[in-house]
Amino acid sequence: MADVILWTGAGQIGMAIARRVGMGKQIILGDKNLKNAEKIAQIMNEAGFNVRAYETDISSKQSILHLISEAQKYGEIVHFINAAGVSPSQAPIDVILKVDLYGTAVLLEEVGKVIKEGGTGVTISSQSGYRMPALGAEIDEQLATTPTEELLNLPVLQPQNIKDTLHAYQLAKRCNGKRVMAEAVKWGARKARINSISPGIIVTPLALDEFNGPRGDFYKNMFAKCPAGRPGTADEVATLAELVMSPAGAFITGSDFLIDGGATASFFYGPLKPTK
């Protein structure tokens, strides 16, 4: 039996992270688009890794449980990488909440039940969670601790309280951070660690959809006026993920790491600050 990496979301960020931590391990990759997962798996396998691709819909608890069950056929899950999600330009409000919010919550909970002792995980969130005003301690706790099957019933997540797809995405990413904090306590019982990373504009196919979408000018302006003056790369996110997933990051759990070239700083205190 091998040490297993469970990886959801067959994109550039997930692949960059898997390359850092996946050598010598069995990698199980789940993605809603099986052809996409198989394409990424082929790239990885031709580079010396061992990847098996599966069709997985993370908006479905049953699909998530099936992927975990398949992974366990090869050994214990030692690392977890969740890079699955949809962007504000790719999906309507209900799908964003079902995938990015509910699906992530289910993954964190279910993987946490089976992660190998001493194992580590990382979920990819977004800088968007930082741009929304504070929701208050009560709503934060609801997002962190509400049972997964009741999450989408929370008042704050009802259609009349959500302005648009960007707002839904921000709520999902805020929930991701709170959920990671709560799950870190549970993962700790297995001496395992879970953290989240909130990237800014990273050049990926998903980001390119945004650049060419209705908010394209907004995003281009964002990275042009951030301190770094450019978008980031998947490998830069992977460098951070490798740290928090490795023994060097043994004291890091329940945390979220903003990696956005200073865009959020510029949003609050620089040229990206909204004009009233």
Side-chain angles (χ1 to χ4, degrees):
M1 301 293 275
D3 279 344
V4 176
I5 293 178
L6 183 67
W7 163 23
T8 48
Q12 296 298 315
I13 292 178
M15 180 165 64
I17 298 171
R19 283 177 175 270
R20 299 295 183 94
V21 301
M23 187 55 66
K25 299 179 177 69
Q26 174 65 60
I27 303 172
I28 301 298
L29 169 58
D31 193 276
K32 189 171 184 181
N33 185 328
L34 181 58
K35 287 185 178 179
N36 186 45
E38 290 174 338
K39 178 181 175 182
I40 294 291
Q42 181 180 354
I43 293 170
M44 293 281 288
N45 288 333
E46 289 176 353
F49 295 89
N50 186 3
V51 184
R52 290 178 178 267
Y54 294 83
E55 183 176 353
T56 305
D57 178 3
I58 73 161
S59 71
S60 162
K61 184 173 184 177
Q62 183 177 0
S63 185
I64 288 172
L65 291 175
H66 175 71
L67 182 67
I68 291 172
S69 176
E70 289 298 310
Q72 289 178 306
K73 292 178 181 178
Y74 297 92
E76 288 189 278
I77 299 171
V78 66
H79 292 311
F80 166 58
I81 303 163
N82 176 36
V86 291
S87 77
S89 295
Q90 291 179 318
I93 289 172
D94 61 324
V95 174
I96 290 171
L97 294 179
K98 199 80 191 291
V99 174
D100 291 7
L101 191 149
Y102 167 79
T104 296
V106 173
L107 277 167
L108 293 170
E109 180 176 66
E110 296 301 330
V111 174
K113 293 176 182 177
V114 300
I115 191 80
K116 186 176 181 178
E117 183 169 322
T120 58
V122 66
T123 186
I124 302 302
S125 188
S126 168
Q127 65 172 356
S128 284
Y130 285 81
R131 291 170 180 261
M132 195 170 51
L135 298 174
E138 182 180 358
I139 293 178
D140 280 350
E141 184 164 354
Q142 289 172 352
L143 292 174
T145 63
T146 298
T148 52
E149 298 310 306
E150 299 172 21
L151 256 176
L152 295 178
N153 296 327
L154 288 175
V156 70
L157 300 179
Q158 298 316 298
Q160 64 270 23
N161 295 323
I162 299 177
K163 298 179 226 176
D164 52 27
T165 57
L166 178 59
H167 186 206
Y169 188 73
Q170 290 174 329
L171 284 165
K173 298 310 177 180
R174 181 69 60 84
C175 181
N176 292 167
K178 299 302 176 184
R179 211 78 191 176
V180 162
M181 292 178 73
E183 284 297 331
V185 179
K186 300 175 185 177
W187 282 48
R190 302 176 72 90
K191 296 182 173 58
R193 299 183 294 106
I194 178 68
N195 292 286
S196 58
I197 294 175
S198 291
I201 304 299
I202 306 296
V203 180
T204 65
L206 184 148
L208 293 174
D209 281 348
E210 291 295 333
F211 296 162
N212 297 312
R215 282 180 289 276
D217 289 341
F218 169 81
Y219 286 106
K220 291 172 185 175
N221 182 62
M222 184 189 300
F223 68 70
K225 292 183 178 178
C226 76
R230 63 171 177 84
T233 67
D235 281 289
E236 288 173 308
V237 178
T239 296
L240 176 55
E242 183 180 21
L243 168 64
V244 299
M245 296 178 77
S246 74
F251 200 54
I252 306 171
T253 192
S255 297
D256 179 73
F257 294 87
L258 183 62
I259 176 170
D260 69 347
T264 300
S266 187
F267 178 83
F268 284 106
Y269 309 115
L272 288 174
K273 188 171 184 177
T275 54
K276 293 182 180 180

